[in-house]
Amino acid sequence: MSPKRLFDEPAEERSRAPGPRVQITPPPQPAGLCGLAVCLQSALGDVSYARLMGLLNTAFMLHVERGFPLAGTELAALRRLQRAQPGGDDTQPWLLPGDDATDVIETELLAGSAPVARECPTEHGGWVVICGLDTQTGQWSGYRPDSGGRLVTAPVQFAVLVRTSSHLGLRSDAHGCTEAMARAADLPGSDADPTSAYERWADLMLSGSPFDEGPPGDEAIARHELLVRTLLDARQAAVEFCEQVGLEVDEQRAELLTEVADLYMQVGDAIEARQPAIFDPLAGPALRQPEVRAEWAEILLECARIEREALELMGRAGTTN
Protein backbone atom coordinates (compact mmCIF):
# COMPACT_ATOMS: atom_id res chain seq x y z
CA MET A 1 0.00 0.00 0.00
CA SER A 2 1.36 3.41 -0.89
CA PRO A 3 1.84 6.07 1.76
CA LYS A 4 -1.19 8.19 2.53
CA ARG A 5 -0.24 11.81 2.13
CA LEU A 6 -2.14 14.98 2.80
CA PHE A 7 -2.28 17.20 -0.28
CA ASP A 8 -1.24 14.51 -2.81
CA GLU A 9 -1.24 15.80 -6.33
CA PRO A 10 -4.57 15.46 -8.19
CA ALA A 11 -4.88 12.41 -10.44
CA GLU A 12 -4.35 14.41 -13.61
CA GLU A 13 -1.18 15.90 -12.18
CA ARG A 14 0.16 12.56 -10.91
CA SER A 15 0.02 11.19 -14.45
CA ARG A 16 2.80 13.58 -15.36
CA ALA A 17 4.96 12.87 -12.31
CA PRO A 18 4.34 9.33 -10.95
CA GLY A 19 4.26 8.78 -7.22
CA PRO A 20 2.63 10.76 -4.40
CA ARG A 21 4.28 13.93 -3.22
CA VAL A 22 3.76 15.99 -0.10
CA GLN A 23 2.87 19.47 -1.22
CA ILE A 24 3.84 21.32 1.93
CA THR A 25 6.62 23.87 1.68
CA PRO A 26 7.32 25.73 4.94
CA PRO A 27 8.52 29.33 4.74
CA PRO A 28 12.31 29.68 4.51
CA GLN A 29 12.28 31.31 7.94
CA PRO A 30 9.40 29.58 9.77
CA ALA A 31 7.90 31.29 12.79
CA GLY A 32 6.28 29.51 15.69
CA LEU A 33 3.20 27.72 14.46
CA CYS A 34 3.95 27.79 10.74
CA GLY A 35 3.64 24.00 10.49
CA LEU A 36 0.18 24.12 12.00
CA ALA A 37 -0.73 27.02 9.74
CA VAL A 38 0.43 25.30 6.56
CA CYS A 39 -1.50 22.13 7.36
CA LEU A 40 -4.70 23.66 8.65
CA GLN A 41 -5.04 26.36 6.02
CA SER A 42 -5.68 23.61 3.50
CA ALA A 43 -7.18 20.97 5.78
CA LEU A 44 -9.94 23.17 7.18
CA GLY A 45 -11.25 24.36 3.85
CA ASP A 46 -13.27 27.56 4.35
CA VAL A 47 -12.06 28.02 7.93
CA SER A 48 -8.82 29.96 7.63
CA TYR A 49 -5.95 29.52 10.04
CA ALA A 50 -6.43 33.06 11.37
CA ARG A 51 -10.14 32.41 11.93
CA LEU A 52 -9.38 29.14 13.70
CA MET A 53 -6.94 30.93 16.02
CA GLY A 54 -9.48 33.67 16.69
CA LEU A 55 -12.40 31.33 17.34
CA LEU A 56 -10.31 29.40 19.87
CA ASN A 57 -9.05 32.67 21.42
CA THR A 58 -5.52 31.34 20.85
CA ALA A 59 -4.73 34.47 18.83
CA PHE A 60 -5.26 36.56 21.99
CA MET A 61 -3.87 34.33 24.75
CA LEU A 62 -0.38 34.07 26.21
CA HIS A 63 0.87 31.50 28.72
CA VAL A 64 4.16 32.07 30.53
CA GLU A 65 5.49 30.13 33.52
CA ARG A 66 8.57 30.97 35.54
CA GLY A 67 11.68 29.15 34.39
CA PHE A 68 10.07 28.30 31.03
CA PRO A 69 9.35 24.61 31.74
CA LEU A 70 8.34 22.68 28.65
CA ALA A 71 4.74 22.44 29.88
CA GLY A 72 4.64 26.22 30.13
CA THR A 73 5.92 26.97 26.65
CA GLU A 74 4.12 24.26 24.70
CA LEU A 75 2.15 25.59 21.76
CA ALA A 76 -1.10 26.88 23.24
CA ALA A 77 -2.98 26.44 19.96
CA LEU A 78 -2.48 22.70 20.03
CA ARG A 79 -3.60 22.41 23.64
CA ARG A 80 -6.73 24.37 22.76
CA LEU A 81 -7.39 22.14 19.76
CA GLN A 82 -7.65 19.19 22.12
CA ARG A 83 -10.65 20.79 23.82
CA ALA A 84 -12.35 22.04 20.68
CA GLN A 85 -13.91 18.90 19.26
CA PRO A 86 -17.61 18.79 18.33
CA GLY A 87 -19.63 18.79 21.52
CA GLY A 88 -17.95 21.71 23.21
CA ASP A 89 -14.69 22.67 24.84
CA ASP A 90 -15.08 20.05 27.58
CA THR A 91 -15.36 17.05 25.23
CA GLN A 92 -12.72 14.45 26.05
CA PRO A 93 -10.35 13.49 23.21
CA TRP A 94 -10.00 9.98 21.92
CA LEU A 95 -7.42 7.86 23.71
CA LEU A 96 -5.64 5.90 21.02
CA PRO A 97 -2.47 4.18 22.27
CA GLY A 98 0.17 2.99 19.86
CA ASP A 99 -0.69 1.60 16.44
CA ASP A 100 -4.45 1.77 17.07
CA ALA A 101 -4.26 5.36 15.82
CA THR A 102 -3.21 4.32 12.30
CA ASP A 103 -6.72 3.71 10.94
CA VAL A 104 -8.01 7.02 12.26
CA ILE A 105 -5.01 8.90 10.85
CA GLU A 106 -5.46 7.26 7.45
CA THR A 107 -9.17 8.13 7.40
CA GLU A 108 -8.45 11.73 8.29
CA LEU A 109 -5.74 12.12 5.66
CA LEU A 110 -7.93 10.60 2.97
CA ALA A 111 -10.58 13.17 3.95
CA GLY A 112 -8.03 15.93 3.29
CA SER A 113 -7.56 16.68 6.98
CA ALA A 114 -4.51 17.16 9.20
CA PRO A 115 -5.10 15.35 12.50
CA VAL A 116 -3.43 16.67 15.62
CA ALA A 117 -1.94 14.19 18.11
CA ARG A 118 0.01 13.98 21.34
CA GLU A 119 2.97 11.62 21.10
CA CYS A 120 3.79 8.87 23.60
CA PRO A 121 7.63 8.72 23.46
CA THR A 122 9.14 10.40 26.49
CA GLU A 123 11.82 12.12 24.41
CA HIS A 124 9.08 14.17 22.74
CA GLY A 125 5.67 13.69 24.32
CA GLY A 126 4.37 16.93 22.80
CA TRP A 127 1.86 17.77 20.09
CA VAL A 128 2.34 17.05 16.41
CA VAL A 129 0.37 17.93 13.26
CA ILE A 130 0.27 14.87 10.97
CA CYS A 131 0.24 15.40 7.21
CA GLY A 132 1.38 11.98 5.95
CA LEU A 133 1.30 8.29 6.93
CA ASP A 134 3.09 5.26 5.47
CA THR A 135 0.84 2.36 6.48
CA GLN A 136 3.51 -0.19 5.53
CA THR A 137 6.18 1.12 7.87
CA GLY A 138 3.96 2.81 10.44
CA GLN A 139 5.79 6.10 9.98
CA TRP A 140 3.98 9.43 10.06
CA SER A 141 5.27 12.70 8.67
CA GLY A 142 4.34 16.03 10.11
CA TYR A 143 5.33 18.98 12.27
CA ARG A 144 6.51 18.98 15.89
CA PRO A 145 6.87 22.21 17.85
CA ASP A 146 10.60 21.56 18.03
CA SER A 147 11.02 20.81 14.31
CA GLY A 148 11.60 24.43 13.36
CA GLY A 149 8.92 24.25 10.68
CA ARG A 150 10.56 21.28 8.96
CA LEU A 151 8.65 18.16 8.00
CA VAL A 152 9.76 15.28 10.24
CA THR A 153 9.07 11.51 10.21
CA ALA A 154 8.61 9.19 13.19
CA PRO A 155 6.80 5.96 14.24
CA VAL A 156 3.07 6.03 14.99
CA GLN A 157 2.86 6.13 18.80
CA PHE A 158 0.18 8.43 20.12
CA ALA A 159 -1.71 8.82 23.36
CA VAL A 160 -4.29 11.29 22.04
CA LEU A 161 -5.58 12.04 18.57
CA VAL A 162 -7.85 14.92 17.61
CA ARG A 163 -9.53 15.02 14.22
CA THR A 164 -9.79 18.25 12.26
CA SER A 165 -12.08 17.11 9.44
CA SER A 166 -15.17 18.29 11.29
CA HIS A 167 -13.79 21.85 11.40
CA LEU A 168 -13.49 21.33 15.16
CA GLY A 169 -17.19 21.93 15.69
CA LEU A 170 -16.70 25.71 15.73
CA ARG A 171 -19.25 28.25 14.54
CA SER A 172 -17.32 30.29 12.02
CA ASP A 173 -20.08 32.69 10.94
CA ALA A 174 -20.02 36.36 11.89
CA HIS A 175 -22.10 35.72 15.02
CA GLY A 176 -19.74 32.98 16.16
CA CYS A 177 -16.78 35.30 15.61
CA THR A 178 -18.47 38.04 17.62
CA GLU A 179 -18.98 35.59 20.48
CA ALA A 180 -15.30 34.64 20.27
CA MET A 181 -14.31 38.30 20.55
CA ALA A 182 -16.56 38.74 23.57
CA ARG A 183 -14.83 35.77 25.23
CA ALA A 184 -11.42 37.24 24.39
CA ALA A 185 -12.48 40.50 26.04
CA ASP A 186 -13.08 38.52 29.26
CA LEU A 187 -9.44 37.35 29.38
CA PRO A 188 -8.17 40.22 31.60
CA GLY A 189 -8.11 39.05 35.20
CA SER A 190 -8.41 35.37 34.22
CA ASP A 191 -5.73 32.68 34.33
CA ALA A 192 -5.19 33.29 30.59
CA ASP A 193 -4.82 37.07 30.93
CA PRO A 194 -2.14 37.96 28.35
CA THR A 195 -1.28 41.26 30.02
CA SER A 196 -0.28 39.64 33.31
CA ALA A 197 1.62 36.97 31.37
CA TYR A 198 3.68 39.71 29.71
CA GLU A 199 4.44 41.13 33.14
CA ARG A 200 5.50 37.72 34.52
CA TRP A 201 7.73 37.29 31.49
CA ALA A 202 9.31 40.73 31.99
CA ASP A 203 9.89 40.01 35.70
CA LEU A 204 11.66 36.81 34.78
CA MET A 205 13.94 38.65 32.36
CA LEU A 206 14.89 41.10 35.12
CA SER A 207 15.37 38.48 37.86
CA GLY A 208 19.10 37.83 37.84
CA SER A 209 20.10 35.24 35.24
CA PRO A 210 17.24 32.86 34.35
CA PHE A 211 19.38 30.81 31.94
CA ASP A 212 22.12 28.60 33.33
CA GLU A 213 25.30 27.91 31.47
CA GLY A 214 25.53 24.62 29.59
CA PRO A 215 22.92 22.37 27.94
CA PRO A 216 20.06 22.92 30.47
CA GLY A 217 20.31 26.67 29.99
CA ASP A 218 20.55 26.28 26.23
CA GLU A 219 17.37 24.21 26.26
CA ALA A 220 15.56 26.87 28.31
CA ILE A 221 16.68 29.54 25.83
CA ALA A 222 15.38 27.41 22.94
CA ARG A 223 11.98 27.15 24.66
CA HIS A 224 12.06 30.89 25.26
CA GLU A 225 12.63 31.55 21.56
CA LEU A 226 9.86 29.11 20.61
CA LEU A 227 7.52 31.07 22.85
CA VAL A 228 8.57 34.34 21.18
CA ARG A 229 7.89 32.93 17.72
CA THR A 230 4.60 31.45 18.86
CA LEU A 231 3.53 34.80 20.28
CA LEU A 232 4.41 36.59 17.07
CA ASP A 233 2.48 34.02 15.04
CA ALA A 234 -0.57 34.35 17.31
CA ARG A 235 -0.66 38.13 17.11
CA GLN A 236 -0.31 38.04 13.34
CA ALA A 237 -3.32 35.72 13.33
CA ALA A 238 -5.16 38.18 15.61
CA VAL A 239 -4.62 40.96 13.06
CA GLU A 240 -5.95 38.80 10.22
CA PHE A 241 -8.91 37.59 12.30
CA CYS A 242 -10.00 41.13 13.15
CA GLU A 243 -9.62 42.21 9.53
CA GLN A 244 -11.64 39.24 8.27
CA VAL A 245 -14.46 39.71 10.77
CA GLY A 246 -14.48 43.46 10.06
CA LEU A 247 -15.66 42.70 6.54
CA GLU A 248 -18.70 40.79 7.84
CA VAL A 249 -20.11 43.04 10.57
CA ASP A 250 -21.80 46.43 10.74
CA GLU A 251 -19.87 49.66 10.23
CA GLN A 252 -19.59 50.52 13.93
CA ARG A 253 -18.07 47.15 14.83
CA ALA A 254 -15.87 47.25 11.73
CA GLU A 255 -14.35 50.57 12.80
CA LEU A 256 -13.57 49.20 16.25
CA LEU A 257 -12.02 46.07 14.77
CA THR A 258 -9.83 48.18 12.50
CA GLU A 259 -8.46 49.85 15.64
CA VAL A 260 -7.99 46.45 17.35
CA ALA A 261 -6.14 45.07 14.33
CA ASP A 262 -3.88 48.11 14.33
CA LEU A 263 -3.05 47.56 18.00
CA TYR A 264 -2.16 43.90 17.46
CA MET A 265 -0.05 44.96 14.50
CA GLN A 266 1.80 47.26 16.91
CA VAL A 267 2.41 44.26 19.20
CA GLY A 268 3.90 42.34 16.29
CA ASP A 269 6.06 45.30 15.29
CA ALA A 270 7.35 45.64 18.86
CA ILE A 271 8.25 41.95 19.04
CA GLU A 272 10.00 42.03 15.69
CA ALA A 273 11.98 45.10 16.78
CA ARG A 274 13.84 43.06 19.40
CA GLN A 275 17.62 43.08 18.98
CA PRO A 276 19.18 40.74 18.14
CA ALA A 277 16.28 39.99 15.82
CA ILE A 278 14.16 36.91 16.44
CA PHE A 279 15.58 34.99 13.49
CA ASP A 280 19.17 36.07 14.15
CA PRO A 281 21.30 33.02 15.13
CA LEU A 282 22.76 35.18 17.91
CA ALA A 283 19.34 35.93 19.43
CA GLY A 284 19.31 32.99 21.82
CA PRO A 285 22.86 33.28 23.21
CA ALA A 286 22.38 37.04 23.62
CA LEU A 287 19.69 36.38 26.25
CA ARG A 288 22.49 35.63 28.71
CA GLN A 289 23.38 39.34 28.58
CA PRO A 290 21.50 41.41 31.21
CA GLU A 291 21.19 44.44 28.93
CA VAL A 292 19.53 42.35 26.19
CA ARG A 293 17.05 40.88 28.69
CA ALA A 294 16.32 44.35 30.08
CA GLU A 295 15.52 45.67 26.61
CA TRP A 296 13.27 42.65 25.98
CA ALA A 297 11.51 43.29 29.31
CA GLU A 298 10.73 46.86 28.18
CA ILE A 299 9.25 45.52 24.95
CA LEU A 300 7.12 43.02 26.86
CA LEU A 301 5.73 45.69 29.18
CA GLU A 302 4.90 47.88 26.19
CA CYS A 303 3.11 44.92 24.59
CA ALA A 304 1.12 44.46 27.82
CA ARG A 305 -0.05 48.08 27.62
CA ILE A 306 -1.10 47.66 23.99
CA GLU A 307 -2.89 44.37 24.73
CA ARG A 308 -4.97 46.00 27.49
CA GLU A 309 -6.19 48.62 25.04
CA ALA A 310 -6.84 46.02 22.34
CA LEU A 311 -8.90 43.79 24.62
CA GLU A 312 -10.93 46.76 25.86
CA LEU A 313 -11.78 47.76 22.30
CA MET A 314 -12.53 44.16 21.40
CA GLY A 315 -14.99 43.99 24.26
CA ARG A 316 -16.80 47.00 22.82
CA ALA A 317 -16.80 45.40 19.36
CA GLY A 318 -18.24 42.20 20.80
CA THR A 319 -21.03 43.91 22.72
CA THR A 320 -21.95 46.85 20.47
CA ASN A 321 -25.56 46.65 19.26
Side-chain angles (χ1 to χ4, degrees), residues 244-294:
Q244 290 175 11
V245 179
L247 299 174
E248 306 169 17
V249 295
D250 59 77
E251 184 176 353
Q252 186 176 6
R253 279 198 173 101
E255 290 179 356
L256 288 169
L257 288 176
T258 297
E259 295 183 53
V260 175
D262 180 66
L263 288 169
Y264 281 120
M265 196 175 299
Q266 291 179 41
V267 172
D269 290 343
I271 296 169
E272 289 186 313
R274 191 192 72 171
Q275 293 298 328
I278 293 171
F279 297 106
D280 190 323
L282 299 177
L287 287 171
R288 286 197 169 95
Q289 302 173 19
E291 60 273 18
V292 172
R293 294 198 303 274

Side-chain angles (χ1 to χ4, degrees), residues 84-128:
Q85 299 172 70
D89 282 350
D90 297 327
T91 303
Q92 292 296 312
W94 290 285
L95 297 178
L96 297 165
D99 294 339
D100 291 345
T102 303
D103 290 344
V104 179
I105 295 172
E106 183 176 357
T107 300
E108 288 292 292
L109 295 178
L110 289 173
S113 223
V116 182
R118 180 182 286 278
E119 292 183 276
C120 288
T122 55
E123 63 269 24
H124 293 289
W127 287 97
V128 62

Side-chain angles (χ1 to χ4, degrees), residues 8-9 26 52 62 72 108 126 136 144 160-161 179 196 218 224-225 229 231 233 260 269 305:
D8 276 359
E9 293 178 308
L52 172 70
L62 176 62
E108 288 292 292
Q136 291 180 323
R144 285 197 189 104
V160 175
L161 186 70
E179 290 179 344
S196 60
D218 293 340
H224 178 281
E225 291 304 283
R229 295 180 183 212
L231 172 61
D233 178 272
V260 175
D269 290 343
R305 182 194 66 77

